[in-house]
Amino acid sequence: MLRYMTAGESHGKGLSVIIDGVPSGLELSEDLLEQDLSERQKGYGRGGRQKIESDRAEIISGVRFGKTTGAPVALFIKNRDFENWKKILSAVPVNGAVKEFNVPRPGHADLAGGIKYGHKDFRNVLERASARETASRVAVGAVAKAMLKKFGVDIFGYVSNIAGIVTDEDMGLDIEGIKKKISEVEKKYKASLRFPGVDEAASIIRMIDNAIKEGDTVGGVVKVITSPLPAGLGDYTQWDKKLDARIAMALMSVQAFKGVEFGLGFRCSGIPGSLFHDRIRYKKGTGFIRPTDNAGGLEGGMTNGAPLMVQAAMKPISTVRKGTESVNAKTKNSTVTVYERSDTCAVPAASVVAEAVVAIEVCNAFMEKFGGDRIEETVINLENYAKYLKKY
Ligand SMILES: Cc1cc2nc3c(=O)[nH]c(=O)nc-3n(C[C@H](O)[C@H](O)[C@H](O)COP(=O)(O)O)c2cc1C
């Protein structure tokens, strides 16, 4: 099992991660991690920070000559902007006053976190609550994806809706097909949206431009899909072994994510059972197959052999430039929030984070079922299971 823990502040020295449980023999490099880290930094409507920083995870331990050794993998992602925040985030007392952040932003962790930990300078809360932390999780996700690749699994997170504008151009397409549509959009509009709707993208860009002009923010929905997964990952026999529950938790732990749906999701309530449930067929030489994927690839908390398909809703960014009604925690005077550099829309970046956290859970489901201290051992166990599946 991969276990990991992250530490670090948004404008502090950097982000640290320790990943335990990575089998030996997995090829891992800083360049590989950087590919996903740079994807997280892109996106139309992001704030100025992404222009001044480019993330790279330094491998501190657990890798030798390009391969994991089986020891915990420790990573460090430097915050390049720290130079400008040295005094504000100093670990030791400093001379002179440091400007405080006393007006909590509705929608952010500021007020509840301040009450909880006894801070009225919300800097102490927001630095850790910030989605900067997701860079660490994207790095862990890159390790999980490297393992999934060994298991023959492809995974991809993208945007299915921004500010209520949706597309169905991804329907019936596999990951490669969706990526092709996304690059068509990026070529046509010169904007990084990770969105496959060639026609609808223009409206999304207009919505984001308008939000920037108005000093407002927008949210959206992200979708994560995989290539077909072997049936039987996850477990129905105990509540906390259910794979859908674990994936939902992982997604709900991403900053600003407020809802999760598998397959057709909440729409299932309006569809008769005879139409909703994915029919079961048998193909000689292949085994059991499902012609549709309304359940999103999971039944009874287990994979059913179909691709995993999950969506998550992201609320609009809570740092609103035009200000939101609030109260100064020190003076108790009514006021509006103060703006500090922030994203207008971070849905494309959030789809990269979603891909990472789902990859970690799927990877863990593989490790739980197939075990192994060496990556080759896990692959052999998986191959044996694939033979069993064909014969079952
Ligand atoms: C990729 C990503 C980028 C984000 N960027 C910002 C941002 O620039 N400004 C902001 O106020 N919130 C941003 N958020 C959301 C906040 O971090 C989040 O709303 C806050 O931590 C409160 O947590 P909650 O919304 O989960 O309750 C971002 C979230 C994600 C996933």
Side-chain angles (χ1 to χ4, degrees), residues 46 107-108 129 131 254-256 258 314-315 317-319 342-343 346 349:
R46 299 218 65 191
H108 226 291
V254 177
Q255 289 82 340
K258 293 298 148 203
M314 181 185 193
K315 72 183 185 185
I317 298 285
S318 38
T319 307
S342 185
D343 298 325

Side-chain angles (χ1 to χ4, degrees), residues 72-278:
V73 175
L75 306 173
F76 182 72
I77 304 168
K78 191 175 168 183
N79 285 334
R80 294 179 206 272
D81 202 19
F82 176 60
E83 286 306 307
N84 302 316
W85 291 80
K86 258 185 174 159
K87 185 173 177 191
I88 297 173
L89 291 177
S90 169
V92 295
V94 291
N95 291 325
V98 170
K99 197 167 171 259
E100 293 197 357
F101 196 114
N102 301 126
V103 182
R105 292 159 300 170
H108 226 291
D110 305 346
L111 184 57
I115 293 169
K116 182 174 172 66
Y117 285 101
H119 302 303
K120 287 190 177 164
D121 178 1
F122 299 114
R123 175 73 48 207
N124 290 315
V125 177
L126 69 92
E127 282 291 327
R128 179 62 186 156
S130 154
R132 173 75 187 138
E133 183 264 349
T134 60
S136 322
R137 287 197 267 175
V138 167
V140 182
V143 177
K145 280 169 59 189
M147 290 167 67
L148 287 177
K149 204 168 166 194
K150 289 274 181 191
F151 309 149
V153 173
D154 204 3
I155 183 165
F156 184 58
Y158 63 100
V159 172
S160 58
N161 168 336
I162 289 182
I165 297 161
V166 292
T167 183
D168 58 8
E169 286 196 44
D170 56 336
M171 288 298 163
L173 296 181
D174 61 6
I175 291 177
E176 280 318 303
I178 294 167
K179 282 185 177 171
K180 235 168 145 182
K181 287 261 175 197
I182 289 173
S183 60
E184 248 179 79
V185 170
E186 310 217 329
K187 249 190 228 140
K188 183 165 175 186
Y189 299 99
K190 309 261 175 304
S192 172
L193 290 174
R194 272 176 98 91
F195 178 74
V198 184
D199 295 330
E200 299 88 351
S203 308
I204 287 182
I205 290 171
R206 253 197 319 276
M207 293 293 278
I208 297 173
D209 286 345
N210 197 46
I212 293 172
K213 202 172 91 206
E214 298 284 322
D216 217 327
T217 60
V218 296
V221 178
V222 300
K223 199 168 185 172
V224 181
I225 57 169
T226 67
S227 49
L229 297 172
L233 301 178
D235 204 327
Y236 65 94
T237 60
Q238 201 59 262
W239 67 272
D240 59 350
K241 292 181 174 175
K242 293 176 186 236
L243 186 55
D244 44 6
R246 288 178 172 183
I247 291 171
M249 180 179 170
L251 284 166
M252 286 300 287
S253 77
V254 177
Q255 289 82 340
F257 280 27
K258 293 298 148 203
V260 176
E261 288 186 341
F262 290 90
L264 288 190
F266 293 165
R267 275 175 293 164
C268 71
S269 61
I271 302 171
S274 57
L275 295 178
F276 174 74
H277 296 297
D278 302 309

Side-chain angles (χ1 to χ4, degrees), residues 5 12 54 240 285 373 389:
M5 204 170 253
S54 83
D240 59 350
D373 302 304
L389 279 180

